[in-house]
mmCIF file of all heavy atoms in Angstrom:
data_model
loop_
_atom_site.group_PDB
_atom_site.id
_atom_site.type_symbol
_atom_site.label_atom_id
_atom_site.label_comp_id
_atom_site.label_asym_id
_atom_site.label_seq_id
_atom_site.Cartn_x
_atom_site.Cartn_y
_atom_site.Cartn_z
ATOM 1 N N VAL U 18 23.337 -4.810 -5.881
ATOM 2 C CA VAL U 18 22.536 -3.610 -6.007
ATOM 3 C C VAL U 18 23.244 -2.521 -5.223
ATOM 4 O O VAL U 18 23.594 -2.710 -4.063
ATOM 5 C CB VAL U 18 21.111 -3.833 -5.457
ATOM 6 C CG1 VAL U 18 20.287 -2.573 -5.567
ATOM 7 C CG2 VAL U 18 20.430 -4.972 -6.191
ATOM 8 N N GLU U 19 23.512 -1.396 -5.874
ATOM 9 C CA GLU U 19 24.202 -0.305 -5.200
ATOM 10 C C GLU U 19 23.362 0.186 -4.029
ATOM 11 O O GLU U 19 22.135 0.229 -4.095
ATOM 12 C CB GLU U 19 24.464 0.842 -6.162
ATOM 13 C CG GLU U 19 25.506 0.505 -7.212
ATOM 14 C CD GLU U 19 25.821 1.676 -8.113
ATOM 15 O OE1 GLU U 19 25.381 2.802 -7.840
ATOM 16 O OE2 GLU U 19 26.529 1.453 -9.101
ATOM 17 N N GLU U 20 24.024 0.560 -2.950
ATOM 18 C CA GLU U 20 23.348 1.007 -1.728
ATOM 19 C C GLU U 20 22.348 2.115 -2.016
ATOM 20 O O GLU U 20 21.233 2.103 -1.514
ATOM 21 C CB GLU U 20 24.386 1.481 -0.702
ATOM 22 C CG GLU U 20 23.808 1.704 0.675
ATOM 23 C CD GLU U 20 23.288 0.439 1.330
ATOM 24 O OE1 GLU U 20 23.906 -0.624 1.178
ATOM 25 O OE2 GLU U 20 22.237 0.528 1.996
ATOM 26 N N SER U 21 22.729 3.066 -2.863
ATOM 27 C CA SER U 21 21.843 4.195 -3.163
ATOM 28 C C SER U 21 20.607 3.779 -3.948
ATOM 29 O O SER U 21 19.628 4.504 -3.999
ATOM 30 C CB SER U 21 22.601 5.267 -3.932
ATOM 31 O OG SER U 21 23.046 4.753 -5.177
ATOM 32 N N ASN U 22 20.648 2.595 -4.572
ATOM 33 C CA ASN U 22 19.517 2.150 -5.381
ATOM 34 C C ASN U 22 18.624 1.138 -4.669
ATOM 35 O O ASN U 22 17.617 0.723 -5.212
ATOM 36 C CB ASN U 22 20.016 1.545 -6.686
ATOM 37 C CG ASN U 22 20.597 2.608 -7.587
ATOM 38 O OD1 ASN U 22 19.966 3.628 -7.821
ATOM 39 N ND2 ASN U 22 21.795 2.394 -8.051
ATOM 40 N N LYS U 23 19.012 0.724 -3.448
ATOM 41 C CA LYS U 23 18.218 -0.280 -2.738
ATOM 42 C C LYS U 23 16.815 0.213 -2.448
ATOM 43 O O LYS U 23 15.872 -0.560 -2.467
ATOM 44 C CB LYS U 23 18.917 -0.730 -1.461
ATOM 45 C CG LYS U 23 20.078 -1.657 -1.744
ATOM 46 C CD LYS U 23 20.673 -2.200 -0.477
ATOM 47 C CE LYS U 23 21.824 -3.128 -0.804
ATOM 48 N NZ LYS U 23 22.424 -3.698 0.395
ATOM 49 N N SER U 24 16.657 1.495 -2.177
ATOM 50 C CA SER U 24 15.310 2.006 -1.923
ATOM 51 C C SER U 24 14.611 2.383 -3.226
ATOM 52 O O SER U 24 13.392 2.396 -3.287
ATOM 53 C CB SER U 24 15.347 3.194 -0.975
ATOM 54 O OG SER U 24 16.102 4.236 -1.534
ATOM 55 N N ARG U 25 15.377 2.648 -4.271
ATOM 56 C CA ARG U 25 14.768 2.999 -5.550
ATOM 57 C C ARG U 25 14.167 1.772 -6.228
ATOM 58 O O ARG U 25 13.040 1.801 -6.703
ATOM 59 C CB ARG U 25 15.784 3.648 -6.486
ATOM 60 C CG ARG U 25 15.156 3.969 -7.821
ATOM 61 C CD ARG U 25 16.042 4.714 -8.751
ATOM 62 N NE ARG U 25 15.284 4.990 -9.967
ATOM 63 C CZ ARG U 25 15.608 5.899 -10.836
ATOM 64 N NH1 ARG U 25 16.669 6.645 -10.642
ATOM 65 N NH2 ARG U 25 14.884 6.077 -11.917
ATOM 66 N N TYR U 26 14.932 0.695 -6.302
ATOM 67 C CA TYR U 26 14.465 -0.534 -6.945
ATOM 68 C C TYR U 26 14.113 -1.539 -5.860
ATOM 69 O O TYR U 26 14.964 -1.896 -5.054
ATOM 70 C CB TYR U 26 15.534 -1.101 -7.874
ATOM 71 C CG TYR U 26 15.864 -0.157 -8.995
ATOM 72 C CD1 TYR U 26 16.967 0.669 -8.930
ATOM 73 C CD2 TYR U 26 15.045 -0.082 -10.119
ATOM 74 C CE1 TYR U 26 17.262 1.547 -9.956
ATOM 75 C CE2 TYR U 26 15.328 0.796 -11.152
ATOM 76 C CZ TYR U 26 16.441 1.608 -11.063
ATOM 77 O OH TYR U 26 16.725 2.477 -12.075
ATOM 78 N N GLN U 27 12.868 -1.965 -5.859
ATOM 79 C CA GLN U 27 12.421 -2.871 -4.814
ATOM 80 C C GLN U 27 11.755 -4.099 -5.415
ATOM 81 O O GLN U 27 11.050 -4.009 -6.423
ATOM 82 C CB GLN U 27 11.452 -2.160 -3.879
ATOM 83 C CG GLN U 27 12.098 -1.024 -3.126
ATOM 84 C CD GLN U 27 11.154 -0.352 -2.162
ATOM 85 O OE1 GLN U 27 10.051 -0.814 -1.898
ATOM 86 N NE2 GLN U 27 11.593 0.769 -1.614
ATOM 87 N N LEU U 28 12.001 -5.221 -4.756
ATOM 88 C CA LEU U 28 11.372 -6.480 -5.137
ATOM 89 C C LEU U 28 10.082 -6.601 -4.352
ATOM 90 O O LEU U 28 10.068 -6.428 -3.138
ATOM 91 C CB LEU U 28 12.304 -7.651 -4.814
ATOM 92 C CG LEU U 28 11.754 -9.038 -5.119
ATOM 93 C CD1 LEU U 28 11.643 -9.256 -6.632
ATOM 94 C CD2 LEU U 28 12.639 -10.105 -4.494
ATOM 95 N N ARG U 29 9.006 -6.895 -5.055
ATOM 96 C CA ARG U 29 7.701 -7.073 -4.421
ATOM 97 C C ARG U 29 7.070 -8.357 -4.949
ATOM 98 O O ARG U 29 7.362 -8.798 -6.062
ATOM 99 C CB ARG U 29 6.761 -5.899 -4.740
ATOM 100 C CG ARG U 29 7.252 -4.552 -4.280
ATOM 101 C CD ARG U 29 7.172 -4.446 -2.763
ATOM 102 N NE ARG U 29 7.778 -3.236 -2.253
ATOM 103 C CZ ARG U 29 7.150 -2.091 -2.046
ATOM 104 N NH1 ARG U 29 5.875 -1.982 -2.332
ATOM 105 N NH2 ARG U 29 7.802 -1.062 -1.572
ATOM 106 N N PHE U 30 6.189 -8.934 -4.139
ATOM 107 C CA PHE U 30 5.433 -10.106 -4.552
ATOM 108 C C PHE U 30 3.963 -9.722 -4.556
ATOM 109 O O PHE U 30 3.423 -9.308 -3.531
ATOM 110 C CB PHE U 30 5.667 -11.286 -3.594
ATOM 111 C CG PHE U 30 5.009 -12.556 -4.038
ATOM 112 C CD1 PHE U 30 5.560 -13.319 -5.053
ATOM 113 C CD2 PHE U 30 3.829 -12.976 -3.460
ATOM 114 C CE1 PHE U 30 4.957 -14.495 -5.479
ATOM 115 C CE2 PHE U 30 3.214 -14.150 -3.874
ATOM 116 C CZ PHE U 30 3.779 -14.907 -4.883
ATOM 117 N N ALA U 31 3.321 -9.811 -5.721
ATOM 118 C CA ALA U 31 1.906 -9.448 -5.851
ATOM 119 C C ALA U 31 1.293 -10.239 -6.989
ATOM 120 O O ALA U 31 1.962 -10.526 -7.988
ATOM 121 C CB ALA U 31 1.756 -7.953 -6.117
ATOM 122 N N ALA U 32 0.050 -10.590 -6.816
ATOM 123 C CA ALA U 32 -0.705 -11.309 -7.851
ATOM 124 C C ALA U 32 0.005 -12.599 -8.265
ATOM 125 O O ALA U 32 -0.003 -12.983 -9.427
ATOM 126 C CB ALA U 32 -0.965 -10.413 -9.059
ATOM 127 N N GLY U 33 0.653 -13.256 -7.305
ATOM 128 C CA GLY U 33 1.311 -14.526 -7.583
ATOM 129 C C GLY U 33 2.618 -14.424 -8.339
ATOM 130 O O GLY U 33 3.140 -15.429 -8.797
ATOM 131 N N GLU U 34 3.171 -13.204 -8.470
ATOM 132 C CA GLU U 34 4.416 -13.010 -9.202
ATOM 133 C C GLU U 34 5.345 -12.079 -8.430
ATOM 134 O O GLU U 34 4.899 -11.267 -7.634
ATOM 135 C CB GLU U 34 4.157 -12.373 -10.572
ATOM 136 C CG GLU U 34 3.449 -13.277 -11.544
ATOM 137 C CD GLU U 34 3.384 -12.665 -12.928
ATOM 138 O OE1 GLU U 34 4.453 -12.283 -13.449
ATOM 139 O OE2 GLU U 34 2.287 -12.563 -13.467
ATOM 140 N N TYR U 35 6.638 -12.215 -8.721
ATOM 141 C CA TYR U 35 7.625 -11.280 -8.194
ATOM 142 C C TYR U 35 7.808 -10.157 -9.202
ATOM 143 O O TYR U 35 7.823 -10.397 -10.410
ATOM 144 C CB TYR U 35 8.971 -11.979 -7.975
ATOM 145 C CG TYR U 35 8.965 -12.935 -6.814
ATOM 146 C CD1 TYR U 35 8.775 -14.294 -7.019
ATOM 147 C CD2 TYR U 35 9.162 -12.484 -5.512
ATOM 148 C CE1 TYR U 35 8.768 -15.184 -5.945
ATOM 149 C CE2 TYR U 35 9.161 -13.356 -4.444
ATOM 150 C CZ TYR U 35 8.965 -14.702 -4.667
ATOM 151 O OH TYR U 35 8.960 -15.569 -3.613
ATOM 152 N N TRP U 36 7.967 -8.948 -8.677
ATOM 153 C CA TRP U 36 8.124 -7.770 -9.517
ATOM 154 C C TRP U 36 9.263 -6.913 -8.985
ATOM 155 O O TRP U 36 9.398 -6.755 -7.776
ATOM 156 C CB TRP U 36 6.858 -6.915 -9.495
ATOM 157 C CG TRP U 36 5.635 -7.632 -9.938
ATOM 158 C CD1 TRP U 36 4.770 -8.341 -9.156
ATOM 159 C CD2 TRP U 36 5.137 -7.736 -11.261
ATOM 160 N NE1 TRP U 36 3.769 -8.868 -9.922
ATOM 161 C CE2 TRP U 36 3.962 -8.514 -11.217
ATOM 162 C CE3 TRP U 36 5.566 -7.238 -12.487
ATOM 163 C CZ2 TRP U 36 3.219 -8.805 -12.347
ATOM 164 C CZ3 TRP U 36 4.820 -7.530 -13.622
ATOM 165 C CH2 TRP U 36 3.665 -8.302 -13.537
ATOM 166 N N ILE U 37 10.045 -6.332 -9.883
ATOM 167 C CA ILE U 37 11.018 -5.329 -9.498
ATOM 168 C C ILE U 37 10.454 -3.999 -9.982
ATOM 169 O O ILE U 37 10.137 -3.837 -11.164
ATOM 170 C CB ILE U 37 12.405 -5.604 -10.100
ATOM 171 C CG1 ILE U 37 12.938 -6.912 -9.516
ATOM 172 C CG2 ILE U 37 13.352 -4.441 -9.823
ATOM 173 C CD1 ILE U 37 14.233 -7.374 -10.108
ATOM 174 N N LEU U 38 10.314 -3.086 -9.040
ATOM 175 C CA LEU U 38 9.706 -1.800 -9.336
ATOM 176 C C LEU U 38 10.702 -0.673 -9.154
ATOM 177 O O LEU U 38 11.511 -0.691 -8.231
ATOM 178 C CB LEU U 38 8.531 -1.530 -8.388
ATOM 179 C CG LEU U 38 7.317 -2.433 -8.545
ATOM 180 C CD1 LEU U 38 7.453 -3.646 -7.678
ATOM 181 C CD2 LEU U 38 6.082 -1.679 -8.189
ATOM 182 N N ASP U 39 10.617 0.315 -10.043
ATOM 183 C CA ASP U 39 11.367 1.552 -9.894
ATOM 184 C C ASP U 39 10.476 2.471 -9.078
ATOM 185 O O ASP U 39 9.450 2.943 -9.560
ATOM 186 C CB ASP U 39 11.675 2.145 -11.267
ATOM 187 C CG ASP U 39 12.490 3.428 -11.193
ATOM 188 O OD1 ASP U 39 12.627 3.994 -10.086
ATOM 189 O OD2 ASP U 39 12.984 3.858 -12.244
ATOM 190 N N MET U 40 10.857 2.730 -7.833
ATOM 191 C CA MET U 40 10.030 3.507 -6.917
ATOM 192 C C MET U 40 10.208 5.015 -7.097
ATOM 193 O O MET U 40 9.521 5.792 -6.455
ATOM 194 C CB MET U 40 10.354 3.114 -5.472
ATOM 195 C CG MET U 40 10.219 1.626 -5.196
ATOM 196 S SD MET U 40 8.579 0.955 -5.543
ATOM 197 C CE MET U 40 7.663 1.664 -4.191
ATOM 198 N N VAL U 41 11.123 5.417 -7.979
ATOM 199 C CA VAL U 41 11.373 6.839 -8.205
ATOM 200 C C VAL U 41 11.175 7.136 -9.690
ATOM 201 O O VAL U 41 12.124 7.306 -10.438
ATOM 202 C CB VAL U 41 12.802 7.236 -7.754
ATOM 203 C CG1 VAL U 41 13.010 8.741 -7.909
ATOM 204 C CG2 VAL U 41 13.056 6.809 -6.329
ATOM 205 N N GLN U 42 9.940 7.144 -10.091
ATOM 206 C CA GLN U 42 9.618 7.433 -11.493
ATOM 207 C C GLN U 42 9.698 8.932 -11.714
ATOM 208 O O GLN U 42 9.170 9.711 -10.925
ATOM 209 C CB GLN U 42 8.209 6.946 -11.816
ATOM 210 C CG GLN U 42 8.036 5.458 -11.683
ATOM 211 C CD GLN U 42 8.418 4.716 -12.954
ATOM 212 O OE1 GLN U 42 8.460 5.285 -14.031
ATOM 213 N NE2 GLN U 42 8.680 3.436 -12.812
ATOM 214 N N GLU U 43 10.352 9.336 -12.768
ATOM 215 C CA GLU U 43 10.503 10.759 -13.055
ATOM 216 C C GLU U 43 9.752 11.116 -14.330
ATOM 217 O O GLU U 43 10.365 11.377 -15.367
ATOM 218 C CB GLU U 43 11.974 11.113 -13.148
ATOM 219 C CG GLU U 43 12.708 10.906 -11.825
ATOM 220 C CD GLU U 43 14.168 11.270 -11.900
ATOM 221 O OE1 GLU U 43 14.620 11.800 -12.930
ATOM 222 O OE2 GLU U 43 14.854 11.013 -10.904
ATOM 223 N N GLY U 44 8.442 11.127 -14.234
ATOM 224 C CA GLY U 44 7.626 11.559 -15.361
ATOM 225 C C GLY U 44 7.444 10.499 -16.426
ATOM 226 O O GLY U 44 7.433 9.316 -16.175
ATOM 227 N N ILE U 45 7.336 10.960 -17.638
ATOM 228 C CA ILE U 45 7.032 10.101 -18.776
ATOM 229 C C ILE U 45 8.339 9.778 -19.482
ATOM 230 O O ILE U 45 9.209 10.649 -19.598
ATOM 231 C CB ILE U 45 6.054 10.826 -19.711
ATOM 232 C CG1 ILE U 45 4.762 11.091 -18.928
ATOM 233 C CG2 ILE U 45 5.783 10.042 -20.964
ATOM 234 C CD1 ILE U 45 3.745 11.928 -19.643
ATOM 235 N N PRO U 46 8.550 8.599 -19.994
ATOM 236 C CA PRO U 46 7.591 7.503 -20.029
ATOM 237 C C PRO U 46 7.589 6.718 -18.718
ATOM 238 O O PRO U 46 8.594 6.646 -18.017
ATOM 239 C CB PRO U 46 8.102 6.614 -21.165
ATOM 240 C CG PRO U 46 9.579 6.815 -21.149
ATOM 241 C CD PRO U 46 9.784 8.255 -20.704
ATOM 242 N N TYR U 47 6.447 6.153 -18.414
ATOM 243 C CA TYR U 47 6.290 5.320 -17.233
ATOM 244 C C TYR U 47 7.047 4.013 -17.440
ATOM 245 O O TYR U 47 6.937 3.394 -18.491
ATOM 246 C CB TYR U 47 4.804 5.027 -16.998
ATOM 247 C CG TYR U 47 4.554 3.977 -15.950
ATOM 248 C CD1 TYR U 47 4.753 4.269 -14.606
ATOM 249 C CD2 TYR U 47 4.131 2.703 -16.299
ATOM 250 C CE1 TYR U 47 4.527 3.306 -13.633
ATOM 251 C CE2 TYR U 47 3.906 1.737 -15.336
ATOM 252 C CZ TYR U 47 4.105 2.047 -14.005
ATOM 253 O OH TYR U 47 3.885 1.103 -13.042
ATOM 254 N N MET U 48 7.835 3.614 -16.458
ATOM 255 C CA MET U 48 8.569 2.368 -16.538
ATOM 256 C C MET U 48 7.761 1.276 -15.837
ATOM 257 O O MET U 48 7.532 1.347 -14.632
ATOM 258 C CB MET U 48 9.946 2.478 -15.887
ATOM 259 C CG MET U 48 10.774 1.226 -16.073
ATOM 260 S SD MET U 48 12.364 1.283 -15.237
ATOM 261 C CE MET U 48 13.209 2.510 -16.202
ATOM 262 N N LYS U 49 7.301 0.318 -16.629
ATOM 263 C CA LYS U 49 6.509 -0.776 -16.073
ATOM 264 C C LYS U 49 7.362 -1.634 -15.148
ATOM 265 O O LYS U 49 8.569 -1.772 -15.363
ATOM 266 C CB LYS U 49 5.962 -1.667 -17.194
ATOM 267 C CG LYS U 49 4.999 -0.975 -18.107
ATOM 268 C CD LYS U 49 4.545 -1.928 -19.187
ATOM 269 C CE LYS U 49 3.628 -1.230 -20.159
ATOM 270 N NZ LYS U 49 3.198 -2.127 -21.235
ATOM 271 N N PRO U 50 6.737 -2.231 -14.121
ATOM 272 C CA PRO U 50 7.480 -3.161 -13.268
ATOM 273 C C PRO U 50 8.005 -4.337 -14.093
ATOM 274 O O PRO U 50 7.411 -4.719 -15.100
ATOM 275 C CB PRO U 50 6.440 -3.638 -12.258
ATOM 276 C CG PRO U 50 5.366 -2.607 -12.292
ATOM 277 C CD PRO U 50 5.363 -2.066 -13.688
ATOM 278 N N LEU U 51 9.113 -4.896 -13.650
ATOM 279 C CA LEU U 51 9.737 -6.025 -14.321
ATOM 280 C C LEU U 51 9.350 -7.302 -13.591
ATOM 281 O O LEU U 51 9.626 -7.452 -12.405
ATOM 282 C CB LEU U 51 11.257 -5.854 -14.313
ATOM 283 C CG LEU U 51 12.086 -6.967 -14.925
ATOM 284 C CD1 LEU U 51 11.800 -7.085 -16.416
ATOM 285 C CD2 LEU U 51 13.558 -6.702 -14.695
ATOM 286 N N SER U 52 8.706 -8.213 -14.291
ATOM 287 C CA SER U 52 8.314 -9.491 -13.711
ATOM 288 C C SER U 52 9.511 -10.436 -13.709
ATOM 289 O O SER U 52 10.209 -10.563 -14.719
ATOM 290 C CB SER U 52 7.173 -10.105 -14.535
ATOM 291 O OG SER U 52 6.849 -11.391 -14.045
ATOM 292 N N VAL U 53 9.786 -11.064 -12.554
ATOM 293 C CA VAL U 53 10.868 -12.035 -12.445
ATOM 294 C C VAL U 53 10.336 -13.309 -11.801
ATOM 295 O O VAL U 53 9.376 -13.273 -11.042
ATOM 296 C CB VAL U 53 12.074 -11.483 -11.648
ATOM 297 C CG1 VAL U 53 12.667 -10.274 -12.344
ATOM 298 C CG2 VAL U 53 11.709 -11.141 -10.229
ATOM 299 N N ASN U 54 10.999 -14.422 -12.110
ATOM 300 C CA ASN U 54 10.565 -15.687 -11.530
ATOM 301 C C ASN U 54 11.178 -15.876 -10.138
ATOM 302 O O ASN U 54 11.901 -15.018 -9.628
ATOM 303 C CB ASN U 54 10.885 -16.859 -12.465
ATOM 304 C CG ASN U 54 12.370 -17.034 -12.708
ATOM 305 O OD1 ASN U 54 13.212 -16.552 -11.966
ATOM 306 N ND2 ASN U 54 12.705 -17.750 -13.777
ATOM 307 N N GLU U 55 10.911 -17.023 -9.539
ATOM 308 C CA GLU U 55 11.381 -17.316 -8.188
ATOM 309 C C GLU U 55 12.904 -17.278 -8.084
ATOM 310 O O GLU U 55 13.465 -16.775 -7.108
ATOM 311 C CB GLU U 55 10.865 -18.695 -7.770
ATOM 312 C CG GLU U 55 11.263 -19.117 -6.387
ATOM 313 C CD GLU U 55 10.738 -20.500 -6.031
ATOM 314 O OE1 GLU U 55 9.667 -20.894 -6.524
ATOM 315 O OE2 GLU U 55 11.416 -21.184 -5.248
ATOM 316 N N VAL U 56 13.571 -17.795 -9.099
ATOM 317 C CA VAL U 56 15.038 -17.803 -9.093
ATOM 318 C C VAL U 56 15.564 -16.367 -9.214
ATOM 319 O O VAL U 56 16.500 -15.978 -8.511
ATOM 320 C CB VAL U 56 15.609 -18.698 -10.208
ATOM 321 C CG1 VAL U 56 17.125 -18.603 -10.267
ATOM 322 C CG2 VAL U 56 15.167 -20.140 -10.005
ATOM 323 N N GLY U 57 14.963 -15.579 -10.084
ATOM 324 C CA GLY U 57 15.359 -14.178 -10.206
ATOM 325 C C GLY U 57 15.169 -13.431 -8.893
ATOM 326 O O GLY U 57 16.016 -12.635 -8.497
ATOM 327 N N ALA U 58 14.073 -13.711 -8.209
ATOM 328 C CA ALA U 58 13.823 -13.080 -6.914
ATOM 329 C C ALA U 58 14.879 -13.501 -5.897
ATOM 330 O O ALA U 58 15.374 -12.677 -5.118
ATOM 331 C CB ALA U 58 12.426 -13.434 -6.413
#
């Protein structure tokens, strides 16, 4: 992950799943979080 994108794309664990979120959404369309499994995390 590029250094400049480490704060933009973040791995989170919520509702029993891992998610990669784009923390810098720029309007429409909304980019849904990406669900990943334990190995992906």
Side-chain angles (χ1 to χ4, degrees):
V18 179
E19 290 183 9
E20 191 65 38
S21 62
N22 290 310
K23 285 186 180 181
S24 61
R25 178 175 182 161
Y26 298 98
Q27 296 182 10
L28 178 69
R29 300 288 173 91
F30 185 77
E34 291 188 53
Y35 288 98
W36 302 90
I37 295 175
L38 293 89
D39 181 348
M40 305 302 288
V41 184
Q42 297 274 340
E43 296 181 6
I45 298 174
Y47 170 73
M48 185 183 291
K49 296 179 183 179
L51 178 64
S52 176
V53 298
N54 63 19
E55 181 181 329
V56 175

